[in-house]
Amino acid sequence: MGVFVFRRLLQGILVLLLVSAFTFFLVNLAPGGPSAAVSLERTAAEREALYRQYGLDKPVAVRYMQWLSGVVRGDLGTSLTQGLPVSGLLWQRLGNTLQLALTALVLTALLGVTLGVVAAVTQNRLPDHLISSVATLGMSVPGFWLGIVSIILFSVKLGWLPSSGVASVGQSFSLLDRAQHLVMPASVLAFTLLPNVVRVARSAMLEVLSSDYVRTAKAKGLPNRAVLLKHTFKNALVPVIAILGLITTVLFSGSVVIESVFSWPGLGRLAIEAANGRDYPVILGVTLVAGTIVVVVNLLVDVLYAAVDPRISYD
Amino acid sequence: MTSAVAAPPVRRGRFWRKVRRHPVGVAAFAVLCLLYLTVIAGPLLYPVSPEATDPLNILAAPGGAHPLGTDELGRDITARLIYGGRISLSVGLLSMLVGLTLGLVVGGTAGYFRGRVEGVLMRLVDVFMAIPSFFLLLVIVTVFGSHPLTIIVTVGLGFWAQMARVVYAEFSSYRGRDFIEAMHSLGASHLRIMVRHILPQVVPQAVVLATLGVGWAILSEAALSYIGLGIQPPLASWGNMLQNAQAYLYVNPMLAIYPGLCIAVAVLVFNLTGNALRDILDPRA
Amino acid sequence: MTRKLYSTVSFFLLMGVFGTAHAQTADFDPDATLTLATNADPTLNPWTPGAVVESNLINTLVFDQLVRYDKEDLTPAPALASSWEVAEDGLSWTFTLRDDVTWQDGEPFTADDVAFTFNDVVLVEELAANNGSSFGPVEAVEVINPTTVRFVLSEPFSSLPYYLAYYAGILPEHLLGDAENPLSVASFNKQTPVGTGAFQVAEFVPGSYVRLERNPSYWGGEPKVAGVVFSIVPDPNTQLAQVLAGELDMVTVSDPALLAGVANNPNLEIVEQSQNVYYFVALNQNDPRFQDVRVRQALLYAINRPAIIDSVLKGYGEIATGPIAPLQQALYESDVPNYPFDPEKAKELLAEAGWTPGPDGILAKDGVPLTIEMPTGQFGYLVPATLLVQQYWKDIGVQADVQVLEWNAYIQQMFVNRQYEATLAWWSTPPTPDVSPYYASSAAEAGQNIPGYKNAELDEIMAAGRGATSEEAQIETYREMQEFLARELPYLYLWYPDIVTVRNVRIEGMLDINNPAAFQYASEWYVALTP
């Protein structure tokens, strides 16, 4: 197991290296430039002066090596539009994104697995049909649209919830206030992810229910509930863990749009702002952080696999 | 996922029997066909330009010359929905094909040959899995612009890695089997073995994933459009219609309801079809 | 319930009847905080490259300028400079500074700060300060004594005070003087900037908000509201939703289409403001087809501008006749060649220029059809407006191929590389008649002369305007210029948009004329005490 984890970590670093190189050259191919330089207010001379200030007059390969050597030393560079260290910006935004993503993830996992199991147990009966329909419907609605509609409903029409941001401005910290801000974006995000989990949980559960060892256990006369809990559930967790791992990736993607809708100052919004303003160091920083999270989560998922399912081993 | 035992091919009669047990899936498939038929033949039946603006007749109510009214530039909404559907449904289908092809080729090759080929290819897959697909879309579309082809390829790229993993798992589970070794020693080429003998086993899973993938691709295009990077006007797509409609949510929510509904219905029928296919094609059920 | 309703109604009645009287009493809430919006993290230094719309108004509250706008007609009015005069030869301007001003950290404000701001920041080319090129004629700023500075010029520059009133905040030398690059001091720009303005920064939470509190020792009198919070909300739809929900007190609406939800809300008022902004279609003058003035005129005749204003701008705008907007009351000239919607006239002019209908209905000359590459960018209502122009041109047989680009890529293609044949954009300038940065032959390739229009006669008129020392001479010269521009059409003038702001009615004492001016007098804002 230790060897496996070590090898995967090494692979992860290689993957991140490739991702960063790919992104670096890609963003530098993009037409346009840092928004401070590429704007209607700028004369050609000013633009050149700014490019020199930013070091953008050097070849791309040189800049990549410079960036990389900085990263090795823990320096992710300085944002071109903000004038602040990229690492600081990332930390601030990452905290917010994690807050949103983890809340949504917990909601999704709890609700999704429960609903999935209920659906499986009541296969082809009303609860199953109901859950499946809602799940399929949920998968088909664009998340950002749901977000906008809920803002109009819950903030504008009903006035129940704040429409955006992480906290009320100018007030001292309050958990209730934070929670109120979190409810809508986290729910919308969770709602868009829920169907996947429900579906996988349901089919995994079904598969296990119909599998030989459950039948055997039943045949041996074990009471229904014990069968369900002990054997079925544990084995059904395997694919659910896998999908949760995948969802972490999707979550960061999904949050790009949801963060825009709810003005949630997270990584996703930072990515959009950076892409629009061609803030190269920030784009790379965001990619690096998101990539790292995904690599780590995938690793965790594999380890969890092994822990939950004795049939899987990595030696 | 789990590697199924090489199943006996599904006999035709059984297939149709199973299909009959999924009326919802059949209905969804029918709606799906109808949708495609509408957007292909629609312009013939409803010859109104989706791009002709009319500033004197903006946000017109439904009725008369405009069955669903006009949008913020006086363009006919019905025509835009039809042409927009053309774009959205093609983007969905084509990007899925891009993803499917790439996934099959890369996943299959890696799973079949293993060793160094596997190492290199699957690391590539990891790279793509490690970039949250939407970030990838964001960067690529920013770089290469919003040409429909770019969108198709990019959305497909956001989907292929997942496909490759599934295919890879299936292929590698067959690789060690005796009958593969036997066939190879009988002189069958690798390509023949892959295409004729292993591929059919993967088809059920691939078809299901692909069907669901179309829905995902349609949603991705809509989301890209929301942040302004999707299909660009004057071309209509359901996604960019939805984006334009945002400004009018208070006055004319129907502008957002129509394309939103189209997206939801299209994705829904793909998902329902995919779910039904999963059951129908499952050799164990 | 009924009682409550009654009292609300009577409150509004009272407000209506005694509105003016009310405003004159000191009956305001000293603890009120206003919440405004900005669309991205601001940079709290008015000159830092990249500090643009998201920062301008915040910086206006924090940093004072030598000159600000007059409340009535936006002409230059005293701020940190109490008076100024121009030398006979027009080559130097002397500004007398107030002697009662301190920085927000308690240090006194002196002439050295003004000299530092210009000599060491604005005029240093490598720093590429915002609007730095506007001060081209300024060679240096000399300190005469602690309350007097002299701007030394290389050529007459009658618009100098206008530019000094246009986002030209003075920076503190005692804090930035030692910095290698005074424009990129992160602790200043992103945490605690120090200005002399009515409000000072109390807290900056990146991605969330900037909280300002009143500067109790402000030279213009203690501000009447306790603080102003700028909430960072990037999406205009969300901004509007928040104004409707009462979470924001005011928002500027870039796309009038969004206004529809506001109309029936009794707590909100829509304020139409004017700025010197005009929208135009630029026709690339390197393209021989557009060097023919008849073609330019025809393409303007073909556009139904009132219809576009009614539909896209929802009526918030008026037809443009040139680069000088009506808010420059003394200089605006409306009696110039005009191009009312007339497709027939357009076709005639094009026929005169040799463009006749081809087999497919598209005009052609020597067998070459009149097709125009027309890139546009995603910003405000550029895309819908471009699509309408495309349709009007199509109606007279001109085919425009519209390509929609992401904003940054659009600027690169159209402005930096000048790769376009026609494009629809706008200029927003200080309310000065000096338009040479956008029209001079010298600005054709590298400057802001987007169409690349070169005309020696125009260059002469503009130079005369810059050098004019009497008001009559200035008015006469610029009248001539406006007539020339309307006839020659270096740009096809479309409309002057109203800048539309949605405000909560609780804000009082805020100027309506336009936001830059309103923010320069922020110490006068107040919220009435509710009975």
Side-chain angles (χ1 to χ4, degrees), chain A residues 213-228 230-231:
Chain A
Y213 62 91
V214 174
R215 284 203 209 110
T216 322
K218 269 187 181 169
K220 279 196 291 186
L222 281 172
N224 240 336
R225 187 163 299 165
V227 175
L228 205 66
K230 225 167 141 190
H231 297 277

Side-chain angles (χ1 to χ4, degrees), chain A residues 31-33 35-36 38-44 46-47 49-50 53 81-84 92-93 151 155-156 162-164 166 169 260-261 263 265 269 276 278, chain C residues 41 43 49-50 125-130 132-133 181 186 190 206-209 229 232-234 238 241-242 247 406 408-409 411-412 414-416 427 446 448:
Chain A
S35 50
V38 179
S39 91
L40 291 175
E41 281 85 29
R42 290 289 167 200
T43 62
E46 288 175 327
R47 199 159 41 241
L50 275 175
Q53 253 185 51
T81 46
Q82 301 286 320
L84 289 170
Q92 278 159 1
R93 301 302 188 94
I151 288 180
S155 303
V156 179
S163 60
S164 78
V166 283
V169 166
S260 271
V261 176
S263 304
R269 225 181 79 195
N276 286 340
R278 304 291 191 276
Chain C
D41 275 14
T43 298
E125 270 174 29
E126 297 88 78
L127 296 183
N130 282 335
S133 60
N181 179 347
K190 291 291 175 178
S208 294
Y209 60 89
V229 173
I232 297 159
V233 185
T238 318
Q242 293 194 334
E247 292 171 45
E406 179 258 349
N408 192 293
I411 305 247
Q412 176 80 25
M414 175 278 285
F415 184 62
V416 179
W427 281 124
Q448 287 157 322

Side-chain angles (χ1 to χ4, degrees), chain C residues 179-200:
Chain C
E180 190 187 339
N181 179 347
L183 295 183
S184 60
V185 179
S187 59
F188 188 90
N189 295 353
K190 291 291 175 178
Q191 270 179 328
T192 43
V194 172
T196 59
F199 291 89
Q200 57 199 33

Side-chain angles (χ1 to χ4, degrees), chain C residues 1 34 47 53 96 126 164 178 212 224 252 264 278 285 328-329 332 346 354 466 483:
Chain C
M1 182 66 204
L34 300 179
W47 303 100
V53 283
T96 305
E126 297 88 78
L164 290 175
D178 295 332
L212 311 185
K224 294 176 182 166
T252 298
N264 304 322
Y278 59 100
Q285 293 302 302
Q328 297 187 47
Q329 296 152 14
Y332 173 70
R466 276 193 164 208
E483 204 278 332

Side-chain angles (χ1 to χ4, degrees), chain C residues 41-173:
Chain C
D41 275 14
T43 298
L44 303 172
N45 183 330
W47 303 100
T48 300
V52 280
V53 283
E54 80 291 334
S55 313
N56 282 340
L57 293 180
I58 307 177
N59 285 334
T60 304
L61 297 187
V62 177
F63 299 94
D64 284 320
Q65 308 166 146
L66 291 182
V67 178
R68 60 181 164 182
Y69 295 124
D70 182 88
K71 289 181 182 180
E72 304 293 326
D73 61 4
L74 302 181
T75 51
L80 288 178
S82 52
S83 65
W84 55 87
E85 57 183 13
V86 56
E88 290 264 309
D89 59 3
L91 289 177
S92 74
W93 290 65
T94 306
F95 290 80
T96 305
L97 309 178
R98 296 185 70 101
D99 58 4
D100 57 349
V101 180
T102 55
W103 292 97
Q104 287 159 359
D105 62 0
E107 294 286 318
F109 158 81
T110 70
D112 289 329
D113 294 309
V114 179
F116 164 73
T117 301
F118 286 91
N119 295 340
D120 296 330
V121 179
V122 180
L123 302 178
V124 181
E125 270 174 29
E126 297 88 78
L127 296 183
N130 282 335
N131 299 325
S133 60
S134 308
F135 294 92
V138 178
E139 295 207 312
V141 174
E142 293 171 352
V143 176
I144 308 295
N145 63 46
T147 57
T148 314
V149 291
R150 183 190 291 142
F151 280 66
V152 181
L153 310 180
S154 58
E155 55 180 319
F157 186 25
S158 57
S159 296
L160 177 62
Y162 286 95
Y163 283 104
L164 290 175
Y166 189 70
Y167 306 122
I170 302 300
L171 299 174
E173 186 188 19

